Amino acid sequence: MTFEQDEIDAVALEAYGRIVRAWHLSRREAAGLADMSESRWKRAKTPGSTIRLTNDQRLRLSAIVGIHAALEQYFSDPLTKTWFTRPNAGPLFHGARPIDVAIAGGLPQILTIRNYVDALCCGA
């Protein structure tokens, strides 16, 4: 079975939308993390949207899903839902919020955060 790119994008946006709601991200934060304008993010989260994602955006959303899954595995509520938006003294963040570091650093930084969270889960 092969999936059409539109179906993949729709599933990715649905999963990302659930994470945005769980983490209580603002429209600005959600759009910035996905590398979209706020108006495009608003259209993308509309049921039945036909927004096409770039490869960069697909990778971003995939990494965010991975971060979310790892946080759910490693932490318990409410930290699972607030870790990404709380100031963090860890070596990647230096007191900043992970979301701000991710938005500023783009895909490379999102992937670094994904690796960091995965390492936490593995006890590294």
Side-chain angles (χ1 to χ4, degrees):
M1 172 188 272
T2 60
F3 292 97
E4 295 293 326
Q5 202 58 59
D6 291 346
E7 294 170 316
I8 293 169
D9 290 350
V11 169
L13 287 166
E14 176 63 28
Y16 182 63
R18 288 181 183 157
I19 294 167
V20 165
R21 289 187 297 277
W23 287 351
H24 304 288
L25 301 184
S26 69
R27 183 183 299 167
R28 181 188 60 78
E29 291 169 333
L33 197 56
D35 194 30
M36 295 181 184
S37 67
E38 289 183 42
S39 61
R40 189 159 192 254
W41 167 241
K42 185 178 178 181
R43 285 192 315 274
K45 67 180 188 164
T46 303
S49 168
T50 57
I51 295 287
R52 299 227 41 190
L53 299 173
T54 65
N55 286 335
D56 179 270
Q57 289 169 326
R58 283 184 205 101
L59 288 171
R60 285 169 179 258
L61 300 189
S62 174
I64 296 300
V65 168
I67 290 168
H68 181 262
L71 290 174
E72 286 202 329
Q73 184 178 29
Y74 189 70
F75 296 118
S76 59
D77 283 338
L79 193 53
T80 297
K81 293 179 179 152
T82 61
W83 184 90
F84 207 66
T85 57
R86 295 173 64 155
N88 190 312
L92 289 179
F93 312 111
H94 306 286
R97 299 181 321 150
I99 188 169
D100 296 327
V101 172
I103 291 169
L107 179 59
Q109 192 63 38
I110 293 169
L111 293 173
T112 299
I113 294 169
R114 166 81 194 268
N115 289 335
Y116 176 82
V117 173
D118 284 345
L120 286 175
C121 291
C122 295

